[in-house]
Every structure is written in C-alpha cells, then in structure tokens.
Amino acid sequence: MKRTDLLDELYALHPNEAKGLLLQMLEQAERYDELLEKEHTLQKQILEIWNGHLARKRAETEEKRGHVHIVMGLSDAGALKCALNTLGRRKESEIFAFSDCFSGGPVSKLETDEGRKYRLEWMSERFRGYMHAQYTGIRHGLDTVLETIRAISAEKEITIWTGWHAHEQIGMRLALAVLQDAPNHVYIGHISELYEGIAGRFDPVPHSYAFGFLTLEAIEEIVRLHEERKQPLSMQARQAYIREWEELSATKAKLHIYSDGKIVQADEDSYDEALMTLIAKMQLGETGGEQKFIPASRVIMEALECWENAVMVEFIEYRLWTLISGGRLRFKGVPAAMQSYGVALAESP
C-alpha cells in the first residue's frame, strides 16, 4: 500500500479504533522478549519506535514544566490543576500532593524510612483503611511523594502551598526539610492569608482551609495574587523553617493544632469533651431527644465544621471509638463505615 493510501486509511479511523489497533500492536511487540528465536525484527522495531516516541514526549513535557507546586491534599491538587488550566499555566506546571494529614498521628523523623514506618504502623493500628490507602495510592504515598520532591531538578521553581492549619504547616516544613540542600528558588503560597483579603467576594461565611474548599474563581484569584507578590524564601528563612521541623521531629506528640501562629502539641484526648458536648447537643435537637442515636458520619461532619477542619476525619472517628471503649458513649449498628452506626451518650436511657 502506498504511503498516501495508508495515510488516508489512518485519517479515516475513529480515535478509539486507532488506539485499539495501536494497543494490539504494542501488546504483540511486547512478546518479543518471550520468543525463542529473535528473528522478529518488526516487533523489535515497533517497540523501538514507540519507546522513542515516549522518550521524546517526556523530554518535551519536562522542558515545558518549569514550576512545581506542592500541595497538602489530593483535592487541593485537583482544584489547583483546574485553576492553572483556566489561567493558561497548566502545561508549565507540575503538581505534587501529599495524601496524608499530618495534624493527627506521629510526625517524628518523617523524612527517614524509620519515621515513616513508625507512622504507618501507628496509624494503621488506629485508623481503618489507612495502610490500604497508603499502598493503593502509590503515586501519592508518603515515600513516593518525598522521593519525587527530592528529585526535582535544580532549575525548576517550587511553590509550597500552605494555610493556617497544623496539617499544612507541618507539611510545609517537612517539604522544606527534604529540600534543604536543593538550590531551587522556593516560594510559600499562603492560601489563608491571600484568601482573607478576597473572601467576602466569594463566600458569605468566609473560611480559609484549603484549595479543595474554595471556588475555582477564588483559587484563580489566589494564584494571581501569589504571582504578583511572591518572593523566594531567603536562605535564613529556609533554615529557620528547617530548624522548626527538627524540633517537631524530635517530639512524640500524636496530635498537633495551629494556634496563634504556632504549631502546638496536644494530647490525644484534647477534643474529647468538645465531642461529648457536640453529641449531647445533637441528641437534644433530634426527635426522641436523648434516646436518639446520632449517625457517626453526621457527628464527624459537624465536628469538622465546628473545628474548621483542624482535625482529620479518621482521628475524630478514632476518638469516638476510644470514648465507646471507655464507656462514655454507646453505639448502635454495624461498626464498619461511619455511615453504618450511630452514637449516643452512655448515660442516656
């Protein structure tokens, strides 16, 4: 078949047909190494062409992406990706996201294998599904994210997005500790500070937790403001944050809160009384009064709203079960997902 005829046939293919044919060819070519006789040069050539194509695409993409954004959650990553796309900045940007919440659980020596192993074991013993989430979300597991941050090439600029919450503040310091020998220009994008000045335009009840909680228009404005005002962290500022990380890393605290501009260690049971008060209030507001079991999912969502998402969902549920085990709460239902059981004060009739 002439090349012109071949091109006509290719252009006539539906995109899905073309992808299907390409997949079949690649699968066939992949079997090249399994063959006893290495005379199937066509298969080898197909693989070489394909691998060369992938290498060129990766090189082109890497060259275009001169800025790395580090965010503290997967929902934040998705929201920022949409905003950068609208602003025409998506192709020049890479986004790395932590999938963990550092306000709950040990944070000691997380930059080391030993520290991450201890956190994984401690969290897995208390929070259902934690280990599964870490190992199934391979791209965003803590080991992988930190390794990816360490591998950022020297010519790229880096923005670490943070806010007025312990999780984000701890994550920022951890990222800076991992980057301590990197020559890159590093910027801090403070979501809470930037949003504070524009919140009234977007939200009748302003909040400033994270990108994942804001409208796309608000995120776009935050990114614009950051670009206008950004200044790279001085070496002195970077070293100060790293020293703060080292102080955090030396503690054994299992809960951290952000208060008066500082990360503060807290006892695991710090929110227990507030949780008991919240459940009592919710029971009184229900038909049936104190006899009513409140769905655990409702309790947790209400607590998140009251405490402005300062504590992770899993930590609140962990404290619910600690209070149940201690005889201060009762439960009714199946102790599986939080939607499948309710809780009530133990002294309720």
Side-chain angles (χ1 to χ4, degrees):
M1 182 181 289
K2 295 180 180 179
R3 188 171 187 273
T4 52
D5 295 335
L6 184 59
L7 287 173
D8 288 340
E9 292 292 340
L10 286 175
Y11 288 139
L13 287 173
H14 185 278
N16 288 339
E17 291 179 308
K19 291 175 184 176
L21 286 171
L22 178 59
L23 178 60
Q24 290 178 40
M25 292 172 62
L26 290 173
E27 286 178 339
Q28 183 64 30
E30 287 285 2
R31 297 191 181 98
Y32 172 78
D33 288 333
E34 300 173 9
L35 299 174
L36 295 177
E37 298 180 4
K38 304 297 184 180
E39 297 178 359
H40 297 262
T41 55
L42 176 60
Q43 289 172 285
K44 185 177 181 181
Q45 289 169 354
I46 290 173
L47 280 179
E48 288 175 348
I49 292 170
W50 176 247
N51 290 331
H53 165 74
L54 292 180
R56 287 191 298 274
K57 292 293 287 184
R58 280 194 291 266
E60 290 171 5
T61 301
E62 184 70 16
E63 187 176 345
K64 290 176 183 176
R65 291 179 173 175
H67 201 113
V68 174
H69 298 265
I70 299 174
V71 294
M72 303 302 155
L74 299 183
S75 61
D76 292 3
L80 179 59
K81 187 181 296 184
C82 291
L84 290 172
N85 187 58
T86 304
L87 294 169
R89 300 280 306 280
R90 180 68 189 96
K91 290 184 178 180
E92 66 188 58
S93 304
E94 288 183 277
I95 301 175
F96 302 151
F98 289 110
S99 62
D100 215 336
C101 183
F102 301 121
S103 60
V107 297
S108 178
K109 300 179 180 178
L110 287 185
E111 73 276 27
T112 68
D113 291 340
E114 177 189 1
R116 293 193 296 277
K117 180 181 177 182
Y118 176 64
R119 178 177 174 84
L120 180 65
E121 292 173 350
W122 191 93
M123 299 285 278
S124 299
E125 288 173 1
R126 291 158 178 81
F127 305 148
R128 182 173 45 247
Y130 179 85
M131 182 176 290
H132 177 75
Q134 286 292 304
Y135 282 127
T136 55
I138 292 176
R139 272 192 66 204
H140 305 287
L142 191 52
D143 287 353
T144 304
V145 174
L146 294 183
E147 182 181 336
T148 304
I149 291 173
R150 286 191 182 96
I152 296 172
S153 53
E155 71 278 3
K156 295 189 177 185
E157 295 186 333
I158 301 169
T159 294
I160 304 174
W161 293 96
T162 190
W164 286 326
H165 290 82
H167 159 57
E168 295 169 314
Q169 291 290 325
I170 293 171
M172 179 190 75
R173 287 161 174 80
L174 171 59
L176 286 169
V178 171
L179 290 166
Q180 62 179 317
D181 296 322
N184 310 65
H185 282 165
V186 179
Y187 306 89
I188 301 300
H190 204 299
I191 302 168
S192 301
E193 286 185 0
L194 292 168
Y195 186 60
E196 188 177 45
I198 61 174
R201 290 161 45 193
F202 300 101
D203 195 339
V205 185
H207 58 86
S208 55
Y209 178 56
F211 281 145
F213 291 81
L214 303 179
T215 65
L216 178 60
E217 292 78 11
I219 299 170
E220 291 170 9
E221 185 64 17
I222 287 171
V223 173
R224 288 193 196 97
L225 290 172
H226 169 70
E227 289 296 321
E228 291 172 4
R229 304 173 185 178
K230 70 179 185 181
Q231 294 290 332
L233 280 178
S234 66
M235 187 54 64
Q236 292 84 350
R238 288 175 69 165
Q239 290 301 321
Y241 281 128
I242 291 169
R243 285 194 297 273
E244 291 177 10
W245 167 253
E246 291 170 349
E247 292 172 5
L248 272 173
S249 186
T251 69
K252 297 181 179 180
K254 306 302 189 293
L255 179 65
H256 294 86
I257 58 176
Y258 194 65
S259 178
D260 296 327
K262 296 181 180 179
I263 302 169
V264 180
Q265 299 177 49
D267 294 330
E268 285 184 49
D269 61 359
S270 296
Y271 286 91
D272 285 6
E273 294 309 316
L275 201 51
M276 294 289 291
T277 301
L278 176 61
I279 293 169
K281 181 180 178 182
M282 294 178 76
Q283 282 184 271
L284 290 174
E286 292 289 327
T287 304
E290 294 181 355
Q291 298 182 33
K292 181 72 174 179
F293 281 85
I294 309 298
S297 56
R298 279 189 54 203
V299 174
I300 292 170
M301 293 304 108
E302 186 73 21
L304 286 173
E305 185 173 343
C306 290
W307 304 333
E308 295 185 337
N309 295 279
V311 186
M312 60 192 288
V313 169
E314 295 84 355
F315 197 89
I316 299 173
E317 188 174 22
Y318 161 56
R319 294 316 303 173
L320 283 178
W321 282 106
T322 302
L323 291 168
I324 290 169
S325 300
R328 300 187 65 187
L329 290 177
R330 297 180 296 153
F331 83 94
K332 181 179 181 180
V334 180
M338 67 179 78
Q339 298 87 352
S340 63
Y341 67 94
V343 294
L345 299 182
E347 61 267 23
S348 301

